[in-house]
Amino acid sequence: MIDLRSDTVTKPTPAMRRAMSEAEVGDDVYGEDPTVNRLQERAAELFDKEAALFVPTGSMGNQIAVKLHTRPGMEVVIEERGHIYNYEMAAMSAVSGTLARPVKSADGSGIMSWDDIKAAVHANDAPYYVAPTGLVALENSHNLAGGTLLTRERTGEICAGAHALGIPVHLDGARIFNAAAALSETVAALAAPCDSVMFCLSKGLGAPVGSMLLGSRAFVEEARAWRKLLGGGMRQVGVIAAAGLVALEESPKLLHADHANARRLAEGVAELPGVEIDPARVVTNIVIFDVAGTRRAADRICARLQHAHGVLASGFGTSIRMVTHYDVSTADIDAAVRALGEVLRGE
Ligand code: TLP
């Protein structure tokens, strides 16, 4: 089986399993789990933020941020394919009473500029008609835009514009370590101007469970209360945080290999008839290609790939997404390209 559905499918490494079995634990609802505390301190240090909170999922981290930055009746400006808007169960309305204001990036890349955002923001205009903007939400790397990147400069420009209007910025950095590796930046530099950032330990970094939410000390204190309210107060969770600590130290240096595999995959599938992708735009571990030209439905292609070749991918609309991670090798990538070729030739 070659599982390219997501980097969430990674299994913990032997080092992670060892750390988990030896983890010192305590009751984290009392703030007494030493391993969780170490993970939070280490994450805050790496991101150069005042504090960090371990949360069970990226979705919970993002939604706590939306809750804390906004009031009901406000809008959240977000790129139209953003995860917070499209893949978190309308939580921004269910949990926070906010409305998404989706924005198209002018160049179609999914990477918004301040000009794109400015046109969608309501700061002090027509208070009896339009909802005020409570938050700008960014995503780096941008999953559904194909793992594309926000540079440090672009994030800085957006934050400067938003902050000048008194609007906070949250960064969904589920894969910010991939972004940092691809841009040769530190995660701290990429997140610096943002008021809060969430990143996932459970994606390319390979930990089995967990994400972190970071910001000011006051923000994280409030986030702790909202995590409890949402049912995310965990007890001897150091057994999981221990894997997160290993992931933070060991995994970032491996991401270049995933990116090279993604580029190789993109170059391979680009050669196949009816497949549309520009391999040069694949800069992290996410490969999204259009199969409209094959006249076959993406989900049918994925079903055939799985059943005839043991290759798992995600199909949506006319697109297929394949994600590389440390549990797939370069040989697996070549096998996946060959398998897709056979499926498209009807073999
Ligand atoms: N992404 C998952 C799916 O939900 C699509 C995946 O397989 O890529 N932000 C971003 C940018 C994400 O890609 C994801 C998960 C999340 C947040 C949510 O993280 P979890 O799954 O931990 O709630």
Side-chain angles (χ1 to χ4, degrees):
M1 197 90 103
I2 301 170
D3 196 345
L4 297 165
R5 286 172 301 172
S6 185
D7 47 8
T8 58
V9 302
T10 44
K11 304 283 194 325
T13 62
M16 288 178 197
R17 288 190 186 272
R18 227 173 8 255
M20 292 170 82
S21 72
E22 290 165 6
E24 263 189 284
V25 295
D27 190 327
D28 183 50
V29 169
Y30 294 99
E32 290 173 3
D33 189 302
T35 309
V36 172
N37 291 340
R38 267 200 294 136
L39 175 62
Q40 291 174 165
E41 281 156 23
R42 181 69 184 127
E45 180 182 64
L46 272 174
F47 277 76
D48 201 16
K49 295 284 186 206
E50 282 178 18
L53 184 71
F54 188 49
V55 286
T57 65
S59 301
M60 189 187 283
N62 280 336
Q63 294 303 330
I64 290 174
V66 172
K67 180 72 211 172
L68 294 186
H69 288 304
T70 62
R71 291 191 316 276
M74 286 182 147
E75 288 188 349
V76 176
V77 171
I78 184 164
E79 202 277 331
E80 62 177 358
R81 286 168 285 180
H83 195 279
I84 291 176
Y85 170 41
N86 291 282
Y87 292 97
E88 297 183 12
M89 308 279 303
M92 71 161 79
S93 91
V95 176
S96 301
T98 58
L99 190 68
R101 172 66 57 177
V103 169
K104 242 186 216 322
S105 66
D107 63 0
S109 66
I111 298 304
M112 298 183 290
S113 66
W114 170 244
D115 284 342
D116 298 329
I117 292 171
K118 194 170 60 182
V121 157
H122 302 137
N124 300 307
D125 41 340
Y128 295 116
Y129 296 99
V130 298
T133 304
L135 179 67
V136 171
L138 303 178
E139 189 173 317
N140 200 12
S141 65
H142 190 324
N143 183 349
L144 269 292
T148 46
L149 299 170
L150 277 168
T151 60
R152 179 158 61 106
E153 294 73 18
R154 180 61 65 92
T155 305
E157 166 202 317
I158 292 170
C159 290
H163 290 158
L165 297 173
I167 298 168
V169 179
H170 170 69
L171 175 60
D172 175 349
R175 297 183 177 82
I176 196 168
F177 282 90
N178 294 86
L183 291 164
S184 302
E185 293 278 5
T186 61
V187 288
L190 293 180
C194 301
D195 301 273
S196 56
V197 55
M198 183 284 294
F199 76 92
C200 294
L201 296 158
S202 60
K203 302 210 162 49
L205 299 186
V209 180
S211 296
M212 310 294 300
L213 179 60
L214 300 100
S216 70
R217 209 172 297 288
F219 175 88
V220 168
E221 267 320 299
E222 259 195 279
R224 183 182 297 282
W226 273 94
R227 181 185 66 176
K228 189 73 173 70
L229 184 150
L230 293 169
M234 299 174 285
R235 302 293 179 174
Q236 285 72 31
V237 69
V239 288
I240 295 174
L245 271 166
V246 175
L248 267 189
E249 301 312 324
E250 301 299 326
S251 303
K253 54 181 178 266
L254 307 175
L255 296 175
H256 283 295
D258 298 343
H259 298 177
N261 276 337
R263 176 63 71 85
R264 185 181 182 97
L265 177 63
E267 285 166 353
V269 300
E271 299 289 313
L272 300 173
V275 172
E276 196 56 51
I277 183 171
D278 177 0
R281 298 190 58 174
V282 174
V283 286
T284 60
N285 67 329
I286 298 181
V287 182
I288 298 179
F289 49 94
D290 193 88
V291 292
T294 67
R295 299 181 191 286
R296 309 258 300 272
D299 54 352
R300 299 288 292 275
I301 294 173
C302 290
R304 181 82 191 140
L305 264 177
Q306 177 173 355
H307 297 123
H309 301 275
V311 174
L312 276 66
S314 314
F316 46 96
T318 65
S319 297
I320 292 178
R321 185 184 79 156
M322 295 182 171
V323 185
T324 60
H325 50 79
Y326 68 51
D327 282 335
V328 291
S329 64
T330 304
D332 291 335
I333 295 302
D334 294 343
V337 172
R338 272 196 309 277
L340 182 61
E342 286 178 29
V343 169
L344 295 182
R345 285 193 300 273
E347 291 166 16

